[in-house]
Amino acid sequence: QVQLVESGGGLVQAGGSLRLSCKVSGTSGTIFSIYRMGWYRQAPGKQRELVASIYTSSRTDYADSVKGRFTIFRDNAKTTVYLQMNSLKREDTAVYYCNRPGDEASWGQGTQVTVSS
């Protein structure tokens, strides 16, 4: 059974950076490498939204709100997907989750990102 563990969140000032990690267990690197993986976020009172995804070909997609500031990348050998977040804004404050878009596994606990002004 696939398990997702997110980490790397924290409190950061606007304009700062954070790198999130999502370790995927219960799968091999070979199987992980064929997953499309994504980072989602959920702000208080809002629905969870997909902000970035990466395909097996390393093609990436981003929500307009994070394009040019966030970068998603993966290490298949470590079955880990990352989200580099630069130029953070207050509106990026949310709990961040990773999962497989369109084939979601059980959600992890997420990691809190708080951006202060």
Side-chain angles (χ1 to χ4, degrees), residues 5-42:
V5 179
E6 301 91 350
S7 62
L11 174 63
V12 63
Q13 287 190 328
S17 298
L18 283 173
R19 178 176 291 184
L20 307 183
S21 300
C22 171
K23 172 66 178 178
V24 182
S25 61
T27 186
S28 67
T30 300
I31 298 298
F32 173 80
S33 69
I34 67 173
Y35 292 160
R36 177 190 177 198
M37 293 298 301
W39 280 97
Y40 302 71
R41 68 186 181 189
Q42 187 167 21

Side-chain angles (χ1 to χ4, degrees), residues 74-86:
R74 64 197 298 165
D75 185 331
N76 291 333
K78 295 182 178 179
T79 63
T80 299
V81 61
Y82 303 92
L83 186 68
Q84 178 66 41
M85 305 187 296
N86 299 328

Side-chain angles (χ1 to χ4, degrees), residues 50-53 60-73 83-84:
L50 178 65
V51 297
S53 66
T60 56
D61 287 331
Y62 298 94
D64 288 344
S65 57
V66 307
K67 201 171 293 184
R69 300 187 298 119
F70 290 11
T71 302
I72 185 171
F73 58 102
L83 186 68
Q84 178 66 41

Side-chain angles (χ1 to χ4, degrees), residues 4-7 95-97 107-112:
L4 308 167
V5 179
E6 301 91 350
S7 62
V95 180
Y96 284 73
Y97 303 86
W107 294 90
Q109 83 287 352
T111 186
Q112 174 71 49

